[in-house]
Amino acid sequence: MAFWWPLLVLAAAYALCRLLLLLIPPTVPSIDVDASDVLEEANQTKEDSFIYIPPRKGKATQSDKVQCYEPATMKYLGFFPALTPDEVKEHVGQARKAQKIWAKSSFKQRRQFLRILLKYILEHQDLICEISSRDTGKTMVDASLGEIMTTCEKITWLLDEGEKWLKPEYRSVGRSMLHKKAKVEFYPLGVIGAIVSWNYPFHNVFNPMLAAIFSGNAAVIKVSEHASWSGCFYFRIIQAALAAVGAPDNLVHIITGFAETGQALVSSIDKIIFVGSPGVGRMIMQRASQTLIPVTLELGGKDAFIVCEDVDLSNVVQVAARAALQSSGQNCAGAERFYVHKDIYSTFVSQVVKIVKSISVGPPLSGRYDMGAICMIEHSEKLQSLVNDAIDKGAEIAGRGSFGNLGEDAVDQFFPPTVLVNVNHTMKIMQEEAFGPILPIMKFSSDEEVVKLANDSKYGLGCAVFSGNQKRAIKIASQLHCGVAAINDFASSYMCQSLPFGGVKDSGFGRFAGVEGLRACCLVKAVVEDRWWPYVKTMIPKPIQYPVSEHGFEFQELLVETLYGLSVWDRLRSLSRIPMPTPGRRADEQIGKSSVQNSVQM
């Protein structure tokens, strides 16, 4: 005991020191980001502040400027240039030069960049959410959930685990390479391009940028023409944080424009991440095929929300409402198809309708509204057409939310949360991505039936399965053809940033987030080296040296059987048949048993 006692004391002292170090906050500098020109009070005093009247479908639009306005009020916010292909190439060229410097940066420097961003986000949540709210029409609560929490979770995961997953990873060497070491190394690809959607402008910019920069790349991100105003402000935060850690200029770029701008970006970079529609995703793939760059596509979904009869309904209905109505339903991982067991169908519908009828819709910064605006022009008309198609085919509206006092500044950019019953799969609302606050609810009778219904979709992004029996819920989810699944919850997988995010079928392919998403920003290189260099080296056995011996194939047969025989006895029997080295030969010409096992490289 006298021997172990000092070791235990040392171990306890070490653990205590580590704990005390954790309690010491890191030194993180603050950054100053000018927001004077984006605050609502300042914007309202501008002489050019007016109500923007966007062109209707079919009318000619201005192609050299991206016009920005508030969807909830149509107040004009300004414009940004639609970059030409040559201008895009110039941005990428600048980023490429900066990346060559940044690739040599330490993980310590990269972590400090993340800490500075995290500190700014925590101290300016209201500003970040207000900018998102004004540019996309979402409420402050929706912005906090979808912009702030998700981004902070990604930053903290990278701080805790990012370096570990980018370090060389050693792998097994197999039987023929016992004298070797095998590993996977991760190097920056170069310039990561991203074309992102408008629904979460802060997170959709930060998500690809964080992975790209932490893995040693540069990033050029084309923001949506529907969220350019906010994206360009968020860029200031990134620039200030990079400058604070001494990063090279031009490491991150935000570019604005339309389809031509995006096409030029795809043709110029080393990898493209796209978040958008399946139709545009196919065009991205076609363009990327010209330069054979890797592609990650996240193309939305039609997620199933399955409720078995043995659930706690009072809890599930609240989750269901949030799953469908978060950000006015403009959520790629939102619940769009509700399947409820027939035994609780009526009760579920009545409780959901009660919640929906209590929801007030209006301009999110003009009062206490539960739900904000629809971001894209004329999308409300598409949503109503989906509802009309369902009604024409036998569905009924079980309940709707109400509009608040929209005021004279607002226009038709709102859609009330709507519950549809008696729906089936002949209706467009159960097949097409709605991207709006509609809850179509359908009955099911058995687990087998609901699995079949849930898989009857061209999309395959995610699902949520609720049951009082967790094993039952897991079994149902395991049979659904999708990329992410939440058991007795909604979208919880995205808040676990160690997990990959992405889908199958028309929801796209490839993954961002998690270990897979981080490593997808890397050149993955397989490396094999000698384990005991220079004492044990690869030597080609004499029978298969050039010119090959007449017994070369016989030797190879015995070698294969020695290495891969089904039993130890089979392998030893084959080993005993391999010719022994002939006395007097040079060591590098011998065919000894040891050289057979340790010195053959195909």
Side-chain angles (χ1 to χ4, degrees), residues 21 128 175 199 265 290 301 357 378 404 413 428 441 455 463 476 494 500 514 525 557 593 599:
L21 286 173
I128 293 169
R175 294 180 180 177
N199 56 335
L265 178 62
Q290 297 175 8
K357 285 185 175 180
E378 300 177 348
Q413 288 293 110
K428 293 180 181 179
I441 309 176
N455 283 330
C463 69
I476 292 173
Y494 197 73
K525 184 180 291 187
E557 279 188 305
K593 298 178 184 178
S599 65

Side-chain angles (χ1 to χ4, degrees), residues 206-227:
F206 272 63
N207 185 38
M209 181 278 298
L210 290 167
I213 298 305
F214 194 80
S215 54
N217 296 282
V220 181
I221 302 169
K222 181 199 171 292
V223 291
S224 169
E225 57 268 34
H226 302 290

Side-chain angles (χ1 to χ4, degrees), residues 336-348:
E336 294 220 358
R337 295 178 293 152
F338 289 81
Y339 300 102
V340 179
H341 195 276
K342 63 179 183 179
D343 292 350
I344 59 168
Y345 182 83
S346 298
T347 306
F348 180 89

Side-chain angles (χ1 to χ4, degrees), residues 297-316:
L297 300 179
E298 197 280 275
L299 307 177
K302 193 73 182 172
D303 288 9
F305 191 103
I306 298 171
V307 184
C308 298
E309 74 279 7
D310 55 355
V311 299
D312 175 8
L313 264 183
S314 60
N315 176 61
V316 174

Side-chain angles (χ1 to χ4, degrees), residues 80-362:
F80 292 90
L83 300 188
T84 65
D86 287 340
E87 290 172 323
V88 172
K89 291 177 182 178
E90 183 178 350
H91 279 276
V92 173
Q94 293 172 354
R96 199 173 295 283
K97 290 179 181 178
Q99 189 273 331
K100 295 184 185 302
I101 301 171
W102 183 250
K104 302 174 185 177
S105 63
S106 66
F107 282 112
K108 180 180 179 181
Q109 185 180 10
R110 299 175 195 180
R111 279 193 295 270
Q112 186 70 341
F113 167 63
L114 297 184
R115 291 191 187 99
I116 292 171
L117 287 177
L118 182 59
K119 181 178 181 180
Y120 182 88
I121 293 169
L122 294 173
E123 293 175 350
H124 297 84
Q125 296 182 56
D126 54 345
L127 173 63
I128 293 169
C129 290
E130 181 181 335
I131 297 297
S132 174
S133 176
R134 293 184 64 195
D135 207 14
T136 64
K138 62 170 57 68
T139 66
M140 293 288 282
V141 170
D142 285 346
S144 178
L145 288 168
E147 308 276 28
I148 302 296
M149 286 191 68
T150 52
T151 304
C152 289
E153 191 67 42
K154 186 172 189 84
I155 291 174
T156 53
W157 176 75
L158 285 171
L159 285 170
D160 293 341
E161 299 186 33
E163 180 179 359
K164 177 178 74 171
W165 295 112
L166 293 177
K167 283 186 172 181
E169 181 179 286
Y170 284 87
R171 304 283 179 88
S172 61
V173 294
R175 294 180 180 177
S176 64
M177 293 286 120
L178 292 176
H179 59 303
K180 300 286 187 179
K181 291 191 293 185
K183 61 182 176 179
V184 181
E185 295 179 342
F186 303 94
Y187 296 92
L189 278 174
V191 180
I192 305 296
I195 301 175
V196 297
S197 60
W198 47 264
N199 56 335
Y200 292 106
F202 180 72
H203 182 69
N204 287 347
V205 166
F206 272 63
N207 185 38
M209 181 278 298
L210 290 167
I213 298 305
F214 194 80
S215 54
N217 296 282
V220 181
I221 302 169
K222 181 199 171 292
V223 291
S224 169
E225 57 268 34
H226 302 290
S228 296
W229 180 75
S230 56
C232 288
F233 170 73
Y234 297 143
F235 179 44
R236 299 179 192 176
I237 303 172
I238 299 169
Q239 283 181 307
L242 287 171
V245 298
D249 294 339
N250 300 313
L251 186 62
V252 175
H253 291 250
I254 295 293
I255 60 175
T256 53
F258 301 101
E260 183 184 44
T261 305
Q263 291 170 358
L265 178 62
V266 177
S267 300
S268 307
I269 38 80
D270 302 304
K271 174 188 170 68
I272 185 67
I273 300 169
F274 174 71
V275 181
S277 68
V280 178
R282 292 185 178 93
M283 290 190 285
I284 295 287
M285 284 186 65
Q286 185 176 24
R287 177 69 62 154
S289 69
Q290 297 175 8
T291 50
L292 295 177
I293 59 169
V295 177
T296 295
L297 300 179
E298 197 280 275
L299 307 177
K302 193 73 182 172
D303 288 9
F305 191 103
I306 298 171
V307 184
C308 298
E309 74 279 7
D310 55 355
V311 299
D312 175 8
L313 264 183
S314 60
N315 176 61
V316 174
V317 292
Q318 285 291 341
V319 178
R322 174 57 64 181
L325 306 179
Q326 163 73 20
S327 196
S328 301
Q330 299 165 119
N331 189 358
C332 58
E336 294 220 358
R337 295 178 293 152
F338 289 81
Y339 300 102
V340 179
H341 195 276
K342 63 179 183 179
D343 292 350
I344 59 168
Y345 182 83
S346 298
T347 306
F348 180 89
V349 169
S350 64
Q351 292 189 24
V352 167
V353 168
K354 183 179 179 180
I355 293 173
V356 166
K357 285 185 175 180
S358 71
I359 293 173
S360 179
V361 182

Side-chain angles (χ1 to χ4, degrees), residues 359-498:
I359 293 173
S360 179
V361 182
L365 299 179
S366 301
R368 295 186 61 182
Y369 296 108
D370 303 299
M371 207 175 81
I374 300 299
C375 182
M376 292 181 63
I377 297 173
E378 300 177 348
H379 189 59
S380 292
E381 295 175 11
K382 177 190 174 182
L383 294 175
Q384 188 59 50
S385 72
L386 291 174
V387 171
N388 293 342
D389 172 78
I391 292 173
D392 291 344
K393 294 174 180 176
E396 298 177 8
I397 296 177
R400 270 188 153 171
S402 60
F403 291 120
N405 180 19
L406 297 184
E408 60 183 18
D409 290 336
V411 294
D412 187 20
Q413 288 293 110
F414 298 88
F415 192 85
T418 303
V419 180
L420 292 174
V421 295
N422 299 329
V423 296
N424 59 60
H425 280 212
T426 67
M427 302 172 184
K428 293 180 181 179
I429 191 63
M430 297 298 283
Q431 296 295 334
E432 298 180 9
E433 184 178 33
F435 225 60
I438 304 174
L439 293 83
I441 309 176
M442 186 173 176
K443 295 179 184 177
F444 73 89
S445 302
S446 67
D447 293 359
E448 293 75 20
E449 180 189 10
V450 78
V451 167
K452 184 177 180 181
L453 288 169
N455 283 330
D456 181 25
S457 174
K458 62 183 179 180
Y459 292 98
L461 183 56
C463 69
V465 183
F466 290 79
S467 172
N469 183 334
Q470 185 161 301
K471 290 184 178 179
R472 178 187 181 188
I474 292 172
K475 183 178 179 181
I476 292 173
S478 70
Q479 300 175 71
L480 303 186
H481 196 202
C482 58
V484 294
I487 307 300
N488 288 317
D489 206 343
F490 152 71
S492 54
S493 55
Y494 197 73
M495 288 304 294
C496 299
Q497 277 292 311
S498 62

